[in-house]
Amino acid sequence: MNSAKIANHNIARLNKAIVFIENNLSEKLSLHIISKEVYSSPFHFHRLFKIVVGETLQNFIIRCRIEKAASILIHQKEKSITDIATIVGFESLSSFSKSFKNFYGISPNKFKTETLQKFIKISKTESKIGKVTVTFEQYICNLNKTINWLKMKTSPKIKKYQD
């Protein structure tokens, strides 16, 4: 196999792993489970994942869970913090709260209740009369919505070229 085919094969494995992670955030995820899912040795997969993605597998999983939790906190305010922690796959409320605070700098409860203006300055838009509107929701990453949008709006085609 030439190096281009190997690179494409590895990228396909990583993409499959990322989709698997995002579709199974509420489940127990480990290096062994994910590497088995993409038919790779744990050592090789972890090394490749860190090189390409730029963060360890565990950090990536935690970040995805925290980002999903933040989205739920913003869009589904009726859900309790405990329910959200369970939905995104944390085994305990304390580990969820600690991870959330490490990522956003505030507790999930404070994130849920405080004014959105305190979280991000880029989200502020000012009208002609000086009223500031906050549109923080659009800045929370939701990869599934992006993937669905791409499926609806694009039609990728694979073409094979011979030398």
Side-chain angles (χ1 to χ4, degrees):
M1 217 186 263
N2 68 24
S3 62
K5 285 184 180 180
I6 292 171
N8 288 340
H9 183 69
N10 286 334
I11 296 299
R13 279 185 179 178
L14 289 174
N15 285 335
K16 184 178 179 182
I18 289 170
V19 169
F20 177 78
I21 291 166
E22 290 182 346
N23 290 336
N24 294 286
L25 284 175
S26 62
E27 305 298 320
K28 182 179 180 184
L29 295 171
S30 69
L31 173 61
H32 293 286
I33 292 169
I34 297 166
S35 63
K36 186 176 180 181
E37 183 69 26
V38 296
Y39 307 106
S40 182
S41 76
F43 173 77
H44 177 71
F45 176 75
H46 190 265
R47 189 172 56 89
L48 183 66
F49 191 91
K50 175 122 172 66
I51 290 168
V52 174
V53 177
E55 62 186 326
T56 66
L57 179 64
Q58 190 62 31
N59 286 347
F60 178 80
I61 292 168
I62 290 170
R63 183 175 56 78
C64 287
R65 285 177 170 163
I66 296 298
E67 288 176 348
K68 183 175 180 179
S71 179
I72 294 170
L73 285 167
I74 289 172
H75 298 292
Q76 299 175 23
K77 294 194 180 283
E78 72 281 357
K79 291 201 185 284
S80 71
I81 305 293
T82 306
D83 290 342
I84 293 170
T86 304
I87 290 168
V88 297
F90 281 90
E91 292 182 10
S92 71
L93 180 59
S94 63
S95 65
F96 169 68
S97 296
K98 183 178 179 183
S99 296
F100 193 93
K101 189 167 185 171
N102 285 340
F103 192 80
Y104 282 107
I106 58 171
S107 71
N109 197 36
K110 198 170 187 180
F111 183 91
K112 185 177 183 177
T113 58
E114 281 201 359
T115 318
L116 296 175
Q117 288 179 331
K118 294 187 178 184
F119 301 125
I120 191 163
K121 291 182 180 178
I122 196 169
S123 68
K124 293 180 184 177
T125 55
E126 194 169 331
S127 69
K128 291 180 182 176
I129 58 172
K131 184 177 178 184
V132 176
T133 309
V134 180
T135 55
F136 182 66
E137 291 89 349
Q138 69 190 20
Y139 295 99
I140 296 295
C141 177
N142 189 336
L143 191 57
N144 289 331
K145 285 183 182 177
T146 304
I147 290 170
N148 289 338
W149 183 87
L150 286 171
K151 286 178 183 175
M152 290 185 327
K153 301 288 184 184
T154 62
S155 54
K157 294 177 184 168
I158 299 173
K159 293 183 179 182
K160 293 184 179 181
Y161 294 99
Q162 294 182 350
D163 293 327

